[in-house]
Amino acid sequence: MNQAEPTINHSEAGLSDGATAACPSLAGRFWIFLSIAVVGGGLDLWSKAAVFRWRGLPTQSDIWWVWEPYFGIETAVNIGAVFGVGAGQGTFFAGMSVIAAIGIVIWLFWFRAAESMWLTVALGMVGGGIIGNLYDRLGFWWQAGYPDQWRSGVRDWILWRINEQWTWPNFNIADSLLVVGAGMLLYQSFFPGQFTGPAVGDDGPAEQPTT
């Protein structure tokens, strides 16, 4: 006669593993977020300094074409925001950048959005873009002798256009990071739930006890 074996509730036993899968370490995600933001912001600042040192201030050098006449390098200073909107409001944009950065950190680690790797990477890119452009907005690159309106301007150097009539405003790596990060957030808003882990305890149907 077979003795009844102890009954094991597999759903309860797997709860901790499932919770771990669904709720990864926020500390680990913090370092991923910080690494993307710092590396992205650092790459932007390095590239702007290198290009401006090489090509000089705006109008000092002609366009250096990578693929003429579509893609090239041309230094410029944007004293506004996107497409130059809000020219002369650099202090306002700097303040908004700081508020946005604080909001990102709260969303990721207080409201636990960092449990999603997709959101962690997307907001890391946005953070890198904020770092790169905020540095310029605060005037850390500005030197005596530069026009006063450049004090809160952002250095741009990437030129892309279809022709002379269809030219995209010059941009930089920080702008690219912001656009890619925003695009990832937009995709997530249209297709939610694609990049989240399994629900806590979702390790399949519980096995039936054997006798």
Side-chain angles (χ1 to χ4, degrees), residues 58-145:
T59 73
Q60 287 185 342
S61 299
D62 294 332
I63 300 171
W64 191 84
W65 291 107
V66 177
W67 181 19
E68 188 174 1
Y70 305 108
F71 177 69
I73 295 175
E74 179 188 41
T75 57
V77 177
N78 181 9
I79 60 175
V82 179
F83 302 114
V85 175
Q89 300 299 315
T91 302
F92 170 77
F93 293 127
M96 293 300 295
S97 297
V98 172
I99 293 172
I102 294 172
I104 286 172
V105 173
I106 292 174
W107 185 21
L108 279 173
F109 303 106
W110 180 264
F111 292 102
R112 307 183 70 85
E115 291 175 3
S116 166
M117 177 62 82
W118 182 267
L119 290 179
T120 302
V121 173
L123 293 174
M125 289 186 174
V126 173
I130 290 175
I131 290 173
N133 283 342
L134 180 60
Y135 180 95
D136 283 15
R137 292 286 182 203
L138 294 176
F140 292 135
W141 74 279
W142 189 87
Q143 300 178 22

Side-chain angles (χ1 to χ4, degrees), residues 2 17 21-22 31 43 48 85-86 103 109 111 120 122 129 179 181 210:
N2 294 335
D17 292 338
W31 288 112
L43 181 60
K48 289 187 290 196
V85 175
F109 303 106
F111 292 102
T120 302
V179 169
T210 58

Side-chain angles (χ1 to χ4, degrees), residues 176-191:
S176 303
L177 291 170
L178 289 168
V179 169
V180 173
M184 292 176 68
L185 294 175
L186 185 63
Y187 183 89
Q188 173 78 357
S189 69
F190 281 114
F191 304 99

